[in-house]
């Protein structure tokens, strides 16, 4: 609750101090806002993806405000410029496209990598079985330490070495 | 197959022989083409022998019957300590005897040029008068027996056909061979003291000079008379007569014994061991010292006979002997009041009757265990009825000091050795020993039999019946089917014998069978228990390595020559031991190395190769790492493969995160560039 109150206070302060900036951000970042509302995942990947590129499209015009005429008229002029809106929302669109197209590509890539890793692991296992025998499977399944029972001649088995 | 031993009472004519010669210790030539039947022992054939270093020596060789336990200790002692009155034992060796096609012990003796005394007397070549007997016959034999006693031995083969003239002039007398069969085994019943004659021939026991003195007395009767006065009486009849009349009366009977010999013969032929003349008494008599006259003491006889087993018994000793042959009938009699009445009234043995009744009651009480069996009851009663007699159990009669040869004979003849093992496992000997505690070292005997029982209870290789067999018979050759024909008596001969056996034995069988293991355990002075434990292991690889380690230990300790055949034999059996290594590379290396070591004939090297501790540790560590790595791979594979569409979801999430990250980074870069381009 306290956060909300503080947020409202800051927002009110920003409205008083930088109304053009707030106005530009409010309208320009609408796709990002929508993405934030729509994205219910914990990671908020869609929000970051869409919001990030949306901000990338808004930022040049924000710079015009900050380093040019920081007035309400200028803000309205920018927001009514189709080209400016296309840039802002185009950035958001790029974000959405990135968000929607990259996971399948990455998944395919991971799939290929995994299969390659699987092949490597299976090859290693086959090499182990070739060298140490199938009993490795049993011992590995049993979760044993893989140690053999004491053999004659070892300490503990008690057979004296016949020659020195 | 071992030749069957011959009982002294069953000899009819010498066995046919075939040619063949051997050399003993690279010095003595034994000529198989020249048999000397006149010098045969009941269980050893005599052949001409010559000393290659001194052809003027007169020698002969006794070729022992394979499978009969020899008196190893006596052989060694007689060779090391030649003495007066004895045929000199020159040399001995176990060699391959071509006539029988197997190895056997050959013993070289000084050849008695005068032949057997009895033969010469019968052929009228020699005449021994009653006046010659003391100095010409008794004195040398007493010297011989005294020498044997000084070696802590007994001759146990004193009989007329084993007494020889050592010279061609027929003047000097010696006692013949006594080492080619167990003590008393070759003795006809007449020459064994009554108590030992009642036992089976192989079970008559080691005995002592006391027994030799009786045999001396019986032999003197025959030599004095020039023949056996009771020649036609054999077996049970003779025993029955001796038991009833006493040995002196039974043997001498109505024979015309010279008066001067009456006194020593009565003393020597006494049936009570403690009353029997010993070496001191006979020496005193020879020196003319007067001895306390020995009263004729016939066995205690009853007024009325008791019919049992087809004979009329007038004393309990003969009855005890008969009881052991007809156990069910004996039990019926023991439970019959008329028998006890006979004991009390006819024999005046009231105490014995009560004792026997007590045994019957005890047997009734123990109805459900072996102490309630008829055999046990009869054995118990026989021991009480004949205090000087042997252990009688299930038809077998044996002395404890004859237990070893008896066991050997029964095993070799595939006889009833189970009865003997029962005597040990059921402690049948216990009551026999306790009844004789006044003249037996009961503690020593009990300890020995407790040890035998422990060995019998252990069925592992190196123990069991075979261990008892070799421990009780130091002169018995190893009965392993691999080397039985080699007649191996000493452990030093074992590896060469197994080496030879490798050429003709099925190489799938292990050289270390139960007989070989027990033979080594009994004859090898080193501690081999760890090896035996390994041999007994259920895991084949451990058992094989145990076998190799024991054979290698033998070769190393005995400094034996290389054994190429045996190494090859053992090498072929090492599969399980090689497979005990997990690493296939190590296995291949071992398989490659074994033929090289086999060609060196060195079992210790072979053992070092197979059971190298460092190599084994490396193998273990490597295997443990392999198991761990395999397990890790499996886990990773499981992780990768996942379950259901988990991987797809995971990939999508990763893609979304990547997209977000790319987006943020792009924004940050773009914003930074735009910002700086604006302000600069």
């Amino acid at each position: 609750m306290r956060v909300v109150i503080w947020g409202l206070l800051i927002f009110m302060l920003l409205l008083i101090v930088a109304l053009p900036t707030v106005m530009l951000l409010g309208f320009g970042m609408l796709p990002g806002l929508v993405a934030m509302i729509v994205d219910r995942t914990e990671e908020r990947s869609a929000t970051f993806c869409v919001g990030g590129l949306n901000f990338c499209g808004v930022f040049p015009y924000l710079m015009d405000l900050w380093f040019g005429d920081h007035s309400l008229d200028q803000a309205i002029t920018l927001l009514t410029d189709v080209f400016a809106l296309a840039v802002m929302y185009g950035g958001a669109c790029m974000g959405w496209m990135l968000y929607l197209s990259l996971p399948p590509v990455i998944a395919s890539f991971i799939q290929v990598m995994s299969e390659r890793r699987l092949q490597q692991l299976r090859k290693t296992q086959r090499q182990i079985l070739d060298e140490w025998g199938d009993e490795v499977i049993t011992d590995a399944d049993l979760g044993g330490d893989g140690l053999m029972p004491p053999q004659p001649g070892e300490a503990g088995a008690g057979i004296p070495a016949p020659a020195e | 197959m071992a030749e069957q031993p011959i009982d002294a009472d069953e000899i009819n004519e010498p066995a046919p022989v075939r040619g063949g010669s051997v050399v003993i210790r690279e010095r003595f030539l034994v000529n198989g083409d020249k048999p000397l039947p006149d010098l045969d022992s009941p269980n050893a054939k005599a052949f001409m022998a010559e000393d290659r270093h001194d052809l003027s020596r007169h020698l002969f060789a006794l070729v022992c019957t394979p499978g009969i336990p020899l008196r190893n200790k006596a052989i060694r002692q007689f060779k090391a300590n030649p003495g007066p009155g004895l045929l000199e034992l020159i040399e001995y060796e176990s060699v391959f005897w071509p006539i029988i096609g197997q190895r056997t012990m050959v013993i070289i003796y000084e050849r008695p040029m005068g032949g057997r005394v009895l033969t010469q007397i019968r052929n009228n070549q020699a005449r021994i008068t009653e006046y010659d007997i003391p100095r010409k016959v008794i004195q040398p034999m007493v010297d011989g027996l005294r020498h044997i006693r000084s070696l802590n031995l007994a001759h146990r083969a004193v009989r007329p056909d084993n007494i020889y003239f050592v010279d061609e002039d027929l003047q000097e007398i010696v006692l013949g061979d006594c080492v080619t069969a167990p003590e008393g085994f070759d003795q006809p019943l007449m020459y064994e003291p009554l108590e030992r004659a009642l036992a089976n021939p192989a079970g008559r026991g080691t005995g002592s000079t006391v027994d030799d003195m009786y045999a001396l007395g019986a032999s003197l009767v025959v030599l004095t008379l020039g023949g056996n006065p009771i020649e036609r009486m054999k077996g049970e009849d003779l025993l029955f007569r001796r038991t009833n009349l006493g040995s002196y009366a039974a043997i001498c009977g109505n024979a015309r014994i010279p008066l001067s010999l009456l006194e020593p013969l009565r003393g020597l032929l006494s049936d009570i061991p403690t009353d029997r003349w010993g070496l001191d008494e006979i020496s005193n008599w020879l020196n003319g010292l007067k001895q306390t006259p020995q009263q004729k003491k016939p066995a205690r006889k009853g007024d009325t006979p008791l019919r049992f087993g087809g004979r009329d018994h007038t004393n309990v000793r003969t009855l005890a002997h008969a009881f052991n042959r007809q156990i069910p009938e004996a039990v019926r009699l023991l439970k019959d009041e008329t028998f006890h009445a006979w004991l009390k009234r006819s024999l005046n043995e009231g105490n014995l009757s009560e004792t026997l009744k007590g045994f019957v009651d005890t047997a009734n009480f123990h109805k459900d265990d072996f102490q309630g069996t008829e055999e046990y009851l009869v054995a118990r009663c026989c021991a009480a009825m004949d205090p000087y007699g042997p252990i009688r159990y299930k038809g077998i009669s044996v002395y404890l000091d004859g237990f070893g040869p008896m066991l050997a004979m029964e095993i070799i003849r595939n006889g009833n050795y189970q009865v003997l093992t029962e005597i040990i496992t059921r402690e049948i000997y216990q009551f026999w020993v306790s009844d004789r505690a006044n003249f037996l070292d009961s503690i020593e005997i009990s300890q020995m039999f407790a040890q035998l029982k422990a060995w019998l209870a252990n069925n592992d290789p190196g123990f069991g019946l075979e261990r008892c067999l070799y421990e009780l018979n130091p002169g018995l050759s190893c009965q392993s089917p691999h080397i039985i024909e080699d007649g191996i008596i000493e452990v030093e001969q074992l590896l060469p014998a197994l080496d030879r056996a490798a050429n003709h034995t099925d190489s799938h069988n292990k050289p270390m069978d139960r007989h070989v293991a027990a033979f080594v355990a009994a004859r090898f002075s080193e501690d081999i228990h760890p090896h035996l434990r390994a041999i007994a292991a259920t895991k084949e690889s451990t058992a094989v390595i145990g076998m190799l380690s024991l054979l290698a230990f033998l070769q190393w300790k005995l400094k034996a020559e290389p054994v190429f055949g045996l190494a090859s034999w053992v090498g072929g059996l090492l599969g399980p031991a090689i497979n005990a290594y997990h690493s296939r590379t190590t296995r291949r290396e071992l398989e490659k190395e074994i033929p090289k070591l086999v060609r060196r004939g060195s079992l210790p090297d072979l053992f070092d190769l197979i059971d190298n501790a460092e190599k084994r540790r490396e193998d273990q560590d490597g295997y443990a790492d392999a198991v761990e790595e395999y397990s890790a791979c499996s886990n990773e594979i499981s992780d990768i493969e996942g379950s259901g569409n988990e991987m797809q979801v995971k990939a999508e999430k990763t893609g979304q995160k990547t997209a977000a990250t790319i987006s943020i980074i792009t924004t940050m870069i773009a914003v930074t560039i735009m910002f700086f381009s604006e302000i600069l």
Side-chain angles (χ1 to χ4, degrees):
Chain A
M1 190 66 187
R2 187 180 281 183
V3 175
V4 175
I5 291 168
W6 275 104
L8 282 172
L9 277 174
I10 291 167
F11 183 69
M12 290 303 290
L13 190 69
L14 281 173
L15 279 179
I16 296 163
V17 175
L19 182 62
T21 299
V22 173
M23 205 173 148
L24 186 67
L25 283 172
F27 282 98
M29 290 295 290
L30 269 174
L33 190 68
V34 171
M36 191 174 74
I37 294 163
V38 172
D39 185 11
R40 311 301 303 169
T41 62
E42 200 179 332
E43 295 86 4
R44 300 272 176 186
S45 299
T47 309
F48 286 114
C49 195
V50 176
L53 287 181
N54 189 188
F55 185 71
C56 202
V58 172
F59 191 72
Y61 304 102
L62 203 58
M63 296 271 287
D64 286 346
L65 272 183
W66 289 349
F67 295 101
D69 180 16
H70 189 252
S71 65
L72 201 62
D73 288 341
Q74 182 63 20
I76 291 169
T77 305
L78 289 172
L79 287 172
T80 53
D81 182 355
V82 175
F83 181 74
L85 283 175
V87 170
M88 287 178 212
Y89 292 170
C93 186
M94 287 288 285
W96 272 115
M97 281 173 68
L98 188 68
Y99 179 76
L100 292 174
S101 63
L102 199 60
V105 174
I106 295 286
S108 302
F109 181 72
I110 287 175
Q111 185 76 28
V112 170
M113 292 290 285
S114 299
E115 276 171 14
R116 189 173 166 73
R117 179 67 183 152
L118 276 175
Q119 279 179 352
Q120 271 184 341
L121 290 169
R122 289 205 170 104
K123 190 180 174 189
T124 306
Q125 282 190 319
R126 198 162 47 248
Q127 283 171 344
I128 290 171
L129 294 181
D130 287 346
E131 175 59 23
W132 300 100
D134 292 348
E135 60 267 30
V136 169
I137 301 172
T138 320
D139 283 339
D141 286 348
L142 291 173
D145 56 5
L147 291 177
M148 285 189 293
Q151 296 291 320
E154 292 170 14
I159 292 193
E164 290 175 10
Chain B
M1 184 68 196
E3 204 170 301
Q4 287 295 307
I6 307 158
D7 278 351
D9 290 328
E10 293 171 2
I11 299 165
N12 294 320
E13 56 187 51
V17 292
R18 287 174 281 142
S21 299
V22 294
V23 177
I24 305 291
R25 307 269 185 215
E26 299 177 352
R27 177 170 175 180
F28 301 97
L29 177 75
V30 181
N31 194 338
D33 295 323
K34 293 183 179 172
L36 300 170
D38 289 345
L39 299 177
D40 280 351
S41 284
N43 283 297
K45 297 287 173 204
F47 292 89
M48 184 82 90
E50 63 183 48
D51 183 353
R52 288 169 154 188
H53 295 182
D54 182 2
L55 292 174
S56 63
R57 287 179 87 178
H58 299 292
L59 305 173
F60 80 106
L62 280 178
V63 180
C64 301
T65 304
I68 292 192
L70 304 178
R71 295 178 61 186
N72 247 24
K73 186 184 167 195
I75 292 174
R76 283 196 298 270
Q77 291 272 36
F78 288 152
K79 192 202 163 190
N81 306 287
L86 296 173
L87 213 52
E88 188 181 348
L89 194 155
I90 309 289
E91 194 52 274
Y92 63 93
E93 191 179 15
S94 177
V95 291
F96 180 82
W97 184 240
I99 292 172
I100 53 173
Q102 66 181 84
R103 290 178 80 87
T104 188
M105 180 66 83
V106 175
I107 300 168
I108 308 288
Y109 276 109
E110 166 197 19
R111 184 173 174 182
M113 299 308 291
R116 295 186 203 272
V117 171
L118 191 61
T119 309
Q120 298 293 23
I121 292 172
R122 281 179 176 164
N123 294 343
N124 293 321
Q125 298 295 316
R127 182 174 154 74
I128 299 177
T129 66
E130 61 179 289
Y131 306 105
D132 293 332
I133 290 281
R135 295 294 160 204
K136 203 169 173 182
V137 180
I138 299 178
Q139 186 65 59
M141 290 206 281
V142 166
D143 290 343
L145 293 177
R146 194 182 295 281
H147 176 68
I148 291 174
R149 190 177 67 174
S150 73
L151 302 175
N152 284 325
L153 295 168
H155 191 280
R156 303 289 281 111
V158 178
R159 57 182 182 273
D161 63 2
N162 197 25
I163 300 168
Y164 298 91
F165 283 119
V166 80
D167 56 334
E168 287 178 27
D169 299 332
L170 312 183
Q171 294 301 312
E172 195 182 335
I173 279 178
V174 289
L175 287 169
D177 158 68
C178 64
V179 297
T180 53
E183 293 88 342
F185 183 72
D186 288 341
Q187 291 287 76
L189 287 177
M190 177 182 161
Y191 303 102
E192 276 293 279
L194 183 57
E195 67 276 9
R196 295 208 181 263
L198 290 168
N200 294 64
R204 287 172 180 165
T206 318
S208 65
T209 310
V210 177
D211 304 301
D212 284 338
M213 295 312 289
Y214 171 86
L216 172 64
S219 302
L220 282 179
V221 173
V222 176
L223 291 178
T224 305
L225 299 175
N228 186 348
I230 52 168
E231 196 164 12
R232 289 182 181 176
M233 197 172 289
K234 299 247 165 157
E236 292 295 301
D237 290 338
L238 179 58
L239 282 178
F240 198 73
R241 184 177 159 89
R242 282 176 65 185
T243 314
N244 280 330
L245 303 177
S247 291
Y248 174 81
I251 292 171
C252 296
N254 297 324
R256 297 175 65 185
I257 303 292
L259 264 177
S260 58
L261 293 177
L262 280 181
E263 191 183 353
L265 288 181
R266 274 194 183 144
L268 292 170
L269 294 176
S270 169
D271 286 330
I272 301 170
T274 49
D275 292 350
R276 196 174 297 148
W277 275 23
L279 287 170
D280 294 337
E281 285 85 354
I282 197 82
S283 297
N284 288 341
W285 176 80
L286 285 170
N287 293 331
L289 294 174
K290 187 78 178 162
Q291 300 291 305
T292 311
Q294 186 84 242
Q295 294 304 311
K296 188 181 168 188
K297 288 180 186 169
R300 274 171 88 172
K301 288 173 70 175
D303 303 329
T304 50
L306 179 78
R307 188 82 183 161
F308 183 81
R311 289 181 188 273
D312 288 328
H313 297 269
T314 52
N315 67 66
V316 287
R317 205 171 191 184
T318 58
L319 203 54
H321 192 65
F323 271 13
N324 192 36
R325 307 283 169 95
Q326 291 168 292
I327 291 170
E329 291 80 0
V331 172
R332 271 199 294 278
L333 197 63
L334 282 166
K335 291 178 178 174
D336 190 346
E337 267 307 316
T338 55
F339 167 67
H340 292 280
W342 175 77
L343 275 179
K344 285 175 189 164
R345 289 178 198 152
S346 181
L347 298 183
N348 200 23
E349 292 276 15
N351 289 340
L352 179 63
S353 169
E354 292 306 315
T355 305
L356 299 184
K357 277 181 179 172
F359 293 156
V360 173
D361 292 342
T362 309
N364 289 334
F365 183 73
H366 290 283
K367 237 175 200 170
D368 297 329
D369 60 49
F370 76 92
Q371 290 187 16
T373 59
E374 292 186 341
E375 290 84 1
Y376 185 87
L377 172 64
V378 170
R380 190 87 184 83
C381 292
C382 287
M385 289 161 71
D386 185 5
Y388 290 100
I391 292 179
R392 295 183 173 98
Y393 183 63
K394 288 189 177 180
I396 272 183
S397 304
V398 59
Y399 273 87
L400 287 187
D401 57 352
F403 204 86
M406 185 80 190
L407 186 65
M409 286 302 173
E410 293 299 321
I411 289 175
I412 290 165
R413 289 171 165 171
N414 284 323
N416 195 6
Y417 58 82
Q418 284 88 353
V419 176
L420 293 166
T421 60
E422 272 182 41
I423 291 175
I424 299 172
T425 54
R426 295 186 164 176
E427 299 184 349
I428 305 290
Y429 62 90
Q430 283 285 21
F431 60 74
W432 190 87
V433 171
S434 58
D435 286 350
R436 288 150 184 80
N438 56 337
F439 60 94
L440 277 178
D441 186 347
S442 55
I443 293 174
E444 190 185 337
I445 289 174
S446 294
Q447 281 174 345
M448 183 184 85
F449 273 76
Q451 178 65 75
L452 293 177
K453 189 180 176 186
W455 283 329
L456 269 181
N458 189 342
N459 206 30
D460 290 344
F463 300 92
L465 183 65
E466 294 85 359
R467 178 68 178 274
C468 298
L469 180 67
Y470 296 112
E471 289 284 353
L472 289 170
N473 294 285
L476 181 69
S477 59
C478 182
Q479 300 296 301
S480 163
H482 302 314
I483 53 172
I484 189 168
E485 293 183 352
D486 286 75
I488 299 307
I489 293 170
E490 309 284 348
V491 73
E492 288 80 5
Q493 303 163 323
L494 180 68
L495 290 183
L498 287 173
D499 196 34
R500 287 189 294 273
N503 298 324
H504 56 76
T505 307
D506 181 1
S507 59
H508 292 100
N509 295 328
K510 286 184 188 171
M512 185 66 64
D513 60 13
R514 288 188 64 85
H515 272 288
V516 173
F519 181 80
V520 175
R523 306 282 162 85
F524 192 41
S525 54
E526 301 289 332
D527 178 18
I528 60 162
H529 283 94
H531 302 266
L532 294 178
R533 271 200 300 277
I535 291 170
T538 48
K539 199 174 175 193
E540 188 57 16
S541 60
T542 311
V544 168
I545 291 178
M547 173 191 72
L548 173 60
S549 73
L550 180 52
L551 291 171
F553 191 41
L554 278 169
Q555 192 180 15
W556 175 61
K557 269 284 170 188
L558 300 173
K559 296 181 174 56
E561 294 290 308
V563 280
F564 303 104
L566 181 57
S568 172
W569 187 2
V570 173
L573 296 169
L574 290 177
I578 294 170
N579 292 341
Y581 285 95
H582 292 287
S583 167
R584 267 50 178 178
T585 308
T586 309
R587 288 184 189 182
R588 280 191 292 275
E589 282 171 8
L590 291 175
E591 281 163 2
K592 207 171 151 190
E593 282 297 312
I594 283 174
K596 292 179 191 167
L597 295 178
V598 163
R599 283 195 287 275
R600 278 154 57 182
S602 170
L603 296 173
D605 288 351
L606 207 52
F607 177 76
D608 274 349
L609 174 74
I610 294 295
D611 202 44
N612 185 297
E614 194 182 341
K615 199 182 286 177
R616 200 170 282 284
R617 201 174 306 113
E618 279 173 12
D619 186 72
Q620 281 183 359
D621 293 345
Y623 184 73
D625 291 346
V627 169
E628 202 175 317
E629 193 181 348
Y630 188 90
S631 188
C633 287
S634 297
N635 291 338
E636 198 176 336
I637 289 170
S638 300
D639 285 347
I640 291 171
E641 287 177 338
S643 58
N645 62 349
E646 195 182 327
M647 188 177 165
Q648 187 64 30
V649 173
K650 206 185 281 179
E652 277 182 17
K653 280 202 181 295
T654 309
Q656 288 168 353
K657 278 182 193 170
T658 310
T661 309
I662 290 170
S663 172
I664 293 296
I665 290 170
T666 309
T667 304
M668 286 172 73
I669 292 168
V671 166
T672 307
I673 291 169
M674 281 188 278
F675 183 76
F676 282 103
S677 62
E678 188 67 38
I679 60 169
L680 292 176

